[in-house]
Amino acid sequence: MRGLWLEERRLALREDLEPPAPAPGEVLVQVRLAGICNTDLELLRGYMPFAGVPGHEFVGVVAPGHGGLSGRRVVGEINASCRECDACRAGRSTHCPRRTVLGIAGRHGVFAEMTRLPEDCLHLVPDELPDEVAVFTEPLAAALEIQEQVEVRPRTRVLVIGDGKLGQLIARTLALTGCRLHVAGRHAAKLDLLRHAGIATLNGPGAVETGAYDLVVECAGRPEAFALARRAVRPAGTLVLKSTYAGRLEVDASGLVVDEIRLVGSRCGPFAPALALMAAGRVDVTPLIAARYPLARGEEAFRRAATPGTLKVLLEMDASGD
């Protein structure tokens, strides 16, 4: 089997990988299209120890003879939990201490021709959604998680810091609430995409008003972006962190206490609403596609994805290397 292999901060295409062997309750999925996200890039930089096939954003087809979804097009949640521990029984399966995480921790990912997942992690893709839209389900779900954690009303003053892949999706989902939304970024082309979607933008940190926002979402993944977020949120406001950092982040804990800032970590999210939004045409993800590469050019695809200003890079598993 062909796939990308990550080990000791090095990525290489391999053609000698063993096909996945599904455990009881799991199914084999033939990957069709996969997306490179910032977490994949951070893993390459050493965000956390991982050796194997990376990748967690995908759309694929369940292999023939594998469960009730055999032959169906699916996307998959990335956390494979035990379903038996206290956290799972309490409805916190994404925090299961025994979980494996697709392409991130303890489980090979989707930058290969096949992957395996528990059948109950899979969601059917509506027929009207093409692969290049369905592949955005996981990051769009992560964007929607913010609204699962924080109440956002039409009068809520919201700032999203970061105009990249996740910031674009977060902004598009928050805009549906009717909130008073701004997005702060550094890239003219990305800010133009947001403005074309009817979202107000701010170019650079100097345009952000101090203490002006009830809710600030940091998804730029840089220490200076966190500092900007902290400056922008009002006392007794909420700061949502969506970024993963390869290094450490220094925080003025006393300031958080004095200003009574609510700090919320946020990652995975609900798949069904994400699929429904895209199927209804309420969130258009296609402007975010920067490039498509065949798996044979996966290393080149990663270099493109790591280039500043690049949005979503997709990997096609069955395309030729030309």
Side-chain angles (χ1 to χ4, degrees):
M1 182 182 76
R2 294 190 310 157
L4 295 179
W5 188 268
L6 172 62
E7 189 167 0
E8 296 182 348
R9 302 190 187 186
R10 295 178 182 175
L11 187 74
L13 177 69
R14 289 179 51 177
E15 301 192 5
D16 61 347
L17 299 177
E18 289 291 330
E26 295 184 342
V27 298
L28 190 65
V29 178
Q30 298 167 336
V31 182
R32 291 170 57 147
L33 195 63
I36 300 174
C37 92
N38 280 355
T39 300
D40 302 316
L41 299 176
E42 293 295 343
L43 282 174
L44 187 56
R45 296 172 184 136
Y47 155 60
M48 61 184 297
F50 176 79
V53 177
H56 56 274
E57 301 176 6
F58 78 99
V59 58
V61 174
V62 177
H66 282 258
L69 298 178
S70 175
R72 305 294 299 275
R73 201 162 51 112
V74 295
V75 291
E77 300 189 34
I78 70 175
N79 294 283
S81 55
C82 74
R83 311 296 186 190
E84 298 175 354
C85 68
D86 290 345
C88 287
R89 287 197 295 267
R92 302 190 303 272
S93 61
T94 59
H95 294 282
C96 169
R98 304 175 197 163
R99 76 186 185 278
T100 58
V101 186
L102 186 67
I104 297 174
R107 178 176 290 266
H108 294 307
V110 300
F111 294 154
E113 293 170 321
M114 290 184 287
T115 194
R116 65 179 176 92
L117 269 176
E119 189 168 9
D120 59 10
C121 284
L122 302 180
H123 294 257
L124 287 173
V125 176
D127 292 340
E128 64 268 28
L129 283 188
D131 286 351
E132 59 266 26
V133 174
V135 75
F136 281 85
T137 305
E138 194 278 335
L140 185 62
L144 288 171
E145 177 69 4
I146 294 169
Q147 295 178 51
E148 298 286 317
Q149 298 170 297
V150 180
E151 183 178 15
V152 183
R153 300 177 178 178
R155 293 184 60 83
T156 305
R157 298 168 299 173
V158 181
L159 175 68
V160 175
I161 297 178
D163 52 17
K165 297 178 283 293
L166 186 54
Q168 295 274 338
L169 294 174
I170 290 170
R172 283 162 167 76
T173 55
L174 287 172
L176 298 176
T177 70
C179 68
R180 296 157 64 184
L181 175 65
H182 289 100
V183 179
R186 306 182 302 166
H187 306 93
K190 294 179 181 180
L191 294 174
D192 282 345
L193 280 178
L194 292 162
R195 284 193 288 269
H196 289 156
I199 296 169
T201 64
L202 302 171
N203 194 345
V208 175
E209 185 179 350
T210 298
Y213 296 92
D214 307 302
L215 169 64
V216 179
V217 181
E218 193 283 294
C219 53
R222 304 185 313 276
E224 60 268 28
F226 176 84
L228 177 61
R230 178 65 186 89
R231 175 170 71 78
V233 68
R234 64 162 171 81
T238 300
L239 177 52
V240 175
L241 299 182
K242 270 292 187 183
S243 299
T244 53
Y245 292 83
R248 293 189 176 274
L249 182 67
E250 292 188 4
V251 177
D252 176 9
S254 295
L256 294 173
V257 173
V258 170
D259 285 345
E260 296 186 319
I261 301 300
R262 181 187 178 199
L263 196 61
V264 179
S266 183
R267 50 183 181 91
C268 304
F271 270 48
L275 285 164
L277 278 180
M278 292 187 293
R282 299 190 67 198
V283 175
D284 182 13
V285 298
T286 54
L288 308 186
I289 300 173
R292 296 173 68 143
Y293 288 81
L295 178 60
R297 295 169 59 197
E299 296 167 73
E300 181 183 348
F302 257 73
R303 289 193 293 271
R304 173 70 182 275
T307 302
T310 302
L311 287 172
K312 184 61 70 178
V313 174
L314 302 177
L315 281 174
E316 300 172 293
M317 299 305 146
D318 58 356
S320 70
D322 296 335

